[in-house]
């Protein structure tokens, strides 16, 4: 599966100081510490070692067998998919990224080119300071973060909190450590996946495969904490695809565009869908038969997510009271949709960096009490010609969004122009569909705290042959898919 997945890793101390078999490489790549895990590593010791690097603001990479890294997962990592290389960026909150490397050389090449974020306290981000921060700080803070991606909300949150807490003062090393640790409790982010011109991962049962279907799409996630006196502690889980304009999305390639033969037929027109939701999915072969009722030209819901089944048979990994706060694009009206280019998060509350050095421990603590007062989508209009965009609202644990061809309108367009050949200039479903998809979930901490919740995103594509009679065949139709999967841990504190 050629894609990057969001992930995280751990390392730690033994009683002598360092995890027994962990190798630590601080020389191969400047300013990056590479930790290679071993089967003999203890999770708690491994976690402490990694924590020491991260709260110190040091860039870390963990390498090892994917199953081993799953076993060593630290409690402070909120999302942890399975890969053999995990990149951790502590510059703003905590960035968690993963990829699979073929060998040490390929891993080193990727890491050497990694786009690390500048540290929150660097002069370029924090600005120049003129005095030392007081030992004890309590501040009221109110600010907005305009975020075009999930990663940018955490980066903006860390910057604004640092400015609100310290102003033009220079925090001590202990204060920076405490601040980083608290910020990552409030905001973490990473890649859900990166698909690069990727062939289908599976074909949907009872349909045909396609050698032409490709997916070029990257997506990110962020988990954001909010504490409210009335509604209690909540978490926002934001999943968004990246990339605007051309060159991103579901595609058939230049040589396989949808077309009309000029004699009454339409061939090679896509219908695509994105299904995202919580909990486990149908096991084994059943997973790939779920779209049968929703496959164009049918209009039913998918049956992939077990949590959307009968209440009497709900699995134990369903979240409590999930709520969709935002879903874009909107349903299309007259060939136009509303898309979100990002979100504005409004934060308000109090932050404190605790009363100087403790005489007993020599440590400084930090704590925030903040609420996400509101979220506002930055919306723009976009044409989606000869395409019907629809989402469902009759499910609790999942949502589906479909991009389907408006075949009657397509036939009228062809007839009015006496057109033959490619339909790429008529509809994106003939060439490349950029979904520009995002969904914002809200989960209460009550009932979910301390739990690990699976989250899946399915991408599916069908390729249609239709006649002038607006009849699009199901038998022999190619229909394929891709899937992304992460485990989201809702903090217990």
């Amino acid at each position: 599966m050629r894609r990057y997945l969001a992930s995280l890793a751990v390392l730690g101390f033994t009683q002598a100081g360092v995890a027994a078999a962990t190798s630590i490489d601080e020389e191969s790549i400047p300013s990056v510490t590479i930790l290679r895990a071993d089967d003999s590593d203890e999770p708690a010791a491994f976690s402490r070692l990694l924590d020491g690097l991260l709260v110190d603001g040091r860039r870390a990479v963990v390498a090892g067998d994917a199953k081993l890294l799953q076993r060593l997962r630290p409690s402070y990592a909120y999302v942890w998919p399975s890969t053999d290389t995990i990149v951790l960026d502590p510059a703003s909150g905590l960035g968690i990224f993963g990829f699979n490397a073929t060998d040490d050389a390929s891993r080193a090449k990727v890491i050497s080119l990694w786009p690390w974020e500048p540290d929150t306290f660097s002069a370029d981000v924090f600005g120049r300071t003129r005095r030392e921060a007081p030992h004890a700080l309590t501040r009221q803070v109110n600010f907005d973060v305009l975020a075009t991606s999930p990663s940018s909300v955490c980066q903006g949150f860390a910057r604004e909190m640092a400015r609100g807490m310290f102003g033009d003062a220079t925090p001590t090393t202990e204060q920076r450590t405490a601040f980083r640790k608290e910020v990552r409790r409030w905001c973490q982010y990473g890649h859900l996946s990166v698909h690069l011109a990727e062939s289908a991962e599976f074909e949907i049962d009872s349909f045909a495969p396609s050698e032409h279907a490709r997916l070029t799409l990257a997506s990110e996630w962020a988990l954001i904490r909010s504490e409210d006196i009335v509604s209690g502690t909540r978490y926002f889980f934001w999943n968004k695809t990246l990339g605007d304009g051309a060159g991103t999305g579901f595609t058939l390639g230049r040589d396989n565009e949808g077309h009309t033969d000029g004699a009454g037929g339409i061939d090679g027109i896509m219908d695509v869908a994105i299904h995202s939701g919580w909990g486990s999915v149908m096991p084994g072969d059943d997973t790939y038969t779920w779209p049968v009722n929703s496959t164009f030209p049918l209009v039913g819901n998918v049956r992939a997510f077990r949590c959307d089944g009968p209440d009497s048979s709900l699995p134990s990994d369903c979240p409590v009271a999930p709520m969709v706060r935002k879903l874009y694009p909107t349903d299309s009206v007259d060939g136009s949709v509303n898309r979100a280019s990002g979100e504005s998060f409004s934060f308000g509350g109090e932050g404190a960096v605790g009363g100087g050095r403790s005489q007993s421990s020599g440590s400084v603590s930090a704590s925030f009490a903040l609420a996400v007062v509101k979220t506002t989508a930055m919306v723009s209009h976009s044409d989606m010609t000869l395409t019907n965009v629809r989402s469902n609202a009759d499910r609790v644990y999942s949502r589906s969004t479909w991009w389907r061809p408006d075949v009657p309108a397509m036939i009228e367009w062809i007839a009015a122009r006496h057109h033959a050949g490619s339909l790429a200039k008529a509809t994106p479903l003939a060439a490349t569909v950029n979904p520009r998809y995002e969904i914002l979930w809200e989960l209460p901490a009550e009932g979910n705290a301390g739990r690990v919740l699976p989250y899946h995103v399915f991408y599916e594509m069908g390729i249609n042959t239709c006649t002038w009679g607006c009849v699009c065949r199901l038998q022999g139709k190619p229909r394929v898919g891709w899937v992304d999967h992460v485990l989201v841990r809702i903090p217990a504190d």
Side-chain angles (χ1 to χ4, degrees), residues 283-301:
D285 294 339
D286 291 339
T287 302
Y288 305 130
T289 62
W290 46 257
V292 169
N293 292 329
S294 71
T295 294
F296 177 82
L298 303 179
V299 294
N301 278 315

Side-chain angles (χ1 to χ4, degrees), residues 213-280:
R214 296 289 186 274
L215 183 63
T216 296
L217 197 63
S219 64
E220 289 186 345
W221 60 270
L223 190 66
I224 306 152
R225 181 184 178 96
S226 176
E227 294 179 358
D228 186 88
I229 295 175
V230 176
S231 56
T233 300
R234 299 168 294 157
Y235 287 89
F236 295 94
F237 184 78
W238 186 19
N239 170 215
K240 185 179 188 298
T241 64
L242 307 180
D244 292 326
T248 296
F250 300 86
T251 187
L252 292 171
R254 289 282 296 173
D255 297 331
N256 301 284
E257 292 177 349
H259 60 278
T260 176
D261 58 14
I266 297 173
D267 190 39
I269 291 293
M270 292 182 286
D271 68 284
V272 303
I274 296 178
H275 313 284
S276 56
W278 296 97
S280 53

Side-chain angles (χ1 to χ4, degrees), residues 37 39 63-70 83-84:
D39 288 336
D65 179 77
K67 290 183 179 180
L68 170 62
L69 298 188
Q70 286 290 318
T83 54
D84 64 18

Side-chain angles (χ1 to χ4, degrees), residues 68-417:
L68 170 62
L69 298 188
Q70 286 290 318
R71 182 176 68 83
L72 295 174
R73 173 181 181 166
S75 61
Y76 48 79
Y78 296 165
V79 171
W80 188 309
S82 298
T83 54
D84 64 18
T85 305
I86 297 156
V87 178
L88 299 117
D89 189 344
S92 304
L94 184 59
I96 305 168
F97 310 90
F99 64 92
N100 288 313
T102 55
D103 52 36
D104 287 344
S106 65
R107 178 182 294 113
K109 183 176 181 180
V110 173
I111 296 170
S112 65
L113 299 173
W114 196 264
W116 300 96
E117 287 297 316
D119 188 82
T120 299
F121 294 108
S122 66
D124 292 339
V125 176
F126 190 58
R128 298 186 180 279
T129 56
R130 295 186 295 272
R131 58 189 176 86
E132 184 175 316
H135 290 299
L137 295 170
T138 300
R139 298 282 189 267
Q140 296 295 319
V141 293
N142 291 278
F143 57 86
D144 294 337
V145 175
L146 300 177
T148 57
S149 66
S151 59
S152 62
V153 69
C154 291
Q155 294 155 11
F157 173 79
R159 288 194 302 268
E160 294 301 324
M161 278 303 298
R163 290 167 183 163
M165 290 299 300
F166 300 109
D168 63 353
T170 303
T172 65
T173 299
E174 292 84 0
Q175 287 173 330
R176 295 184 190 203
T177 295
F179 179 87
R180 287 192 184 96
K181 201 162 191 173
E182 182 67 358
V183 166
R184 83 175 182 207
R185 195 168 71 93
W186 283 78
C187 205
Q188 296 187 14
Y189 65 95
H191 283 154
L192 182 62
S193 68
V194 177
H195 300 270
L196 302 174
E198 185 175 332
S199 301
E201 294 177 5
F202 58 88
E203 64 186 79
I204 295 169
D205 191 38
S206 80
F207 293 93
S210 172
E211 60 180 340
H212 304 305
R214 296 289 186 274
L215 183 63
T216 296
L217 197 63
S219 64
E220 289 186 345
W221 60 270
L223 190 66
I224 306 152
R225 181 184 178 96
S226 176
E227 294 179 358
D228 186 88
I229 295 175
V230 176
S231 56
T233 300
R234 299 168 294 157
Y235 287 89
F236 295 94
F237 184 78
W238 186 19
N239 170 215
K240 185 179 188 298
T241 64
L242 307 180
D244 292 326
T248 296
F250 300 86
T251 187
L252 292 171
R254 289 282 296 173
D255 297 331
N256 301 284
E257 292 177 349
H259 60 278
T260 176
D261 58 14
I266 297 173
D267 190 39
I269 291 293
M270 292 182 286
D271 68 284
V272 303
I274 296 178
H275 313 284
S276 56
W278 296 97
S280 53
V281 296
M282 294 299 180
D285 294 339
D286 291 339
T287 302
Y288 305 130
T289 62
W290 46 257
V292 169
N293 292 329
S294 71
T295 294
F296 177 82
L298 303 179
V299 294
N301 278 315
V302 299
R303 299 176 179 176
F305 300 96
R306 296 179 61 208
C307 291
D308 283 324
D311 290 345
S312 59
S313 60
L314 290 183
S316 60
D317 55 10
C318 301
V320 173
M323 179 183 297
V324 174
R325 293 286 296 267
K326 304 284 175 67
L327 174 59
Y328 286 96
T330 59
D331 289 356
S332 57
V333 178
D334 293 331
S336 178
V337 297
N338 289 335
R339 302 178 183 273
S341 55
E343 292 283 336
S344 174
F345 291 83
S346 297
F347 293 88
E350 183 179 274
V353 177
R357 286 180 177 240
S358 164
Q359 295 298 318
S360 60
S361 65
S363 65
V364 172
S365 63
S367 63
F368 304 155
L370 303 170
V372 177
V373 180
K374 65 178 180 178
T375 64
T376 305
M378 297 175 280
V379 177
S380 60
H381 298 281
S382 176
D383 290 334
M384 188 63 71
T385 54
L386 305 182
T387 304
N388 292 319
V389 182
R390 293 288 184 270
S391 295
N392 67 344
D394 57 350
R395 291 290 186 266
V396 174
Y397 299 95
S398 68
R399 288 294 185 273
S400 294
T401 301
W402 296 270
W403 291 256
R404 291 167 167 152
D406 186 343
V407 177
M410 204 172 294
I411 290 173
E412 291 179 8
W413 187 94
I414 294 167
R417 293 161 178 79

